[in-house]
Amino acid sequence: MYRFLLTPRWWGINLFVVLAIPFCVFMGTWQLGRFEDRVQSHEQAEKQPDPSTRAAKPLDELLPVDKVTSGRPAMATGTYGDQFLVPGRELDDRQGFYVLNLLRTEGGKALPVVRGWLPGTASGARVPAAPQGVVTVTGDLQASENIHSDGVDARGGLPEGQLGMISAAALVNLVDYDVYDAWVTLPEAEAGGTGGAMKPVPAAAPAGSGLDLKAFQNLGYTGEWFVFAGFVLFMWFRLVRREAEAVRDVALGLVPDAGPEAGPEAGPEAGPEAGPEDSRPEAGPEGAGASEGGAAAQDLAGRTPETAQGS
């Protein structure tokens, strides 16, 4: 009954099922592993002390930025140089912009420093001037932003003096000196009151260290892959069962197996070629008697009274 599974058509179906189910299980397991990694990193982050409460260290000792060093206080000494405004940044449910200055360190590289946040639009805004001379800043270390970071404007076309993304890649074409692949945000207003009108920008948690929307997306994708694997298996069983039932019905004669000899005239539609005589019922013994009686009645009706008396 199941010999049809060895036909070329079913070979293709079976091959698809054999490849699709392991692939779906693998992808579901991988997404589940990503979710478990995010949960584990979130639990570890909760057990560790707040990075901003730890002792400040020189910037070079905390690079490159990772999940451990992100948010740690970093110290750097230098002089402030170029200034940029970063529009489209939200703080306390209000729209505004960051004030960013590049700190030229003794090593020659520049460290982007977010001095604070101001409400309103960046175009034509007046901001407090940066401190003059050599300064030592202590700010919470942050990794360079990317196109997926909150508030980033990757469309380009911003006015001169504005920056859409805080990263070395975005600054490399705006300045002629090297920039650290990191930045710091000042946790307090600058000393001397030069930036007292600006609000400090809190440090963001490192990417992938919490139960954010992406973590639950991984969990949702896990369920989708496993459901799809079950759906493929269910459809395969359903197709096999339907094909087996069709083969059984043909074997039991419940469904006529129309061969090449059976033409259109073999069916009920062959009636148009039959004449009126073919549609008359067969004459049996009773039919024959009825015919003879009818003939006698017609003969008697055709006689005249005189003929009937003479007979």
Side-chain angles (χ1 to χ4, degrees), residues 264-265 267-275 278:
E265 57 276 357
E269 288 83 7
E273 298 180 4
D278 297 328

Side-chain angles (χ1 to χ4, degrees), residues 3 19 55 68 92 113 139 168-171 180 201 208 227 237 240 244 260 293 311:
R3 291 181 180 179
L19 296 179
V68 177
D92 297 333
V113 178
L171 289 164
Y180 281 103
V201 177
V227 168
F237 274 113
V240 170
S311 61

Side-chain angles (χ1 to χ4, degrees), residues 4 9-10 238-248:
F4 59 86
R9 180 172 69 92
W10 275 96
R238 185 175 180 182
L239 291 175
V240 170
R241 181 179 178 183
R242 186 168 63 178
E243 189 82 6
E245 289 177 350
V247 172
R248 182 195 61 187

